[in-house]
Amino acid sequence: MKKTKAELKTMANYISSQEGQYLFSASEISKILGVCKDTTREICSNLEPATFGRVKRYFIIDILEFMYNQNK
């Protein structure tokens, strides 16, 4: 089922309100989504990270959009 941009934004806002942030590391993404590190690595390899020194973080909205676009 294709999600609209507004639905994905609502989901991202909910996750962000629960976690207190919009940017997440790969290990945080694994925990939030309940997926293994290999799946998270695959998701993240398709996204542009925000880099802080050596730390890569990903916007939750980008993660959700990628996941739902894979299920077309």
Side-chain angles (χ1 to χ4, degrees):
M1 179 176 168
K2 179 84 167 118
K3 297 286 185 189
T4 66
K5 186 81 167 174
E7 289 172 315
L8 291 175
K9 188 171 183 176
T10 299
M11 291 170 65
N13 286 336
Y14 177 77
I15 292 169
S16 296
S17 71
Q18 296 299 303
E19 299 295 325
Q21 59 191 18
Y22 280 93
L23 291 165
F24 297 93
S25 67
S27 62
E28 292 169 328
I29 294 166
S30 291
K31 290 176 188 174
I32 291 168
L33 300 178
V35 297
C36 69
K37 290 179 182 179
D38 291 335
T39 301
T40 302
R41 221 175 277 118
E42 182 180 328
I43 292 168
C44 292
S45 71
N46 292 288
L47 301 174
E48 186 69 32
T51 306
F52 302 95
R54 293 177 29 149
V55 178
K56 292 181 182 178
R57 294 193 172 268
Y58 302 87
F59 285 99
I60 190 65
I61 190 71
D62 293 342
I63 296 162
L64 294 173
E65 285 177 349
F66 175 79
M67 288 177 54
Y68 282 99
N69 287 332
Q70 295 303 306
N71 294 323
K72 284 184 179 180

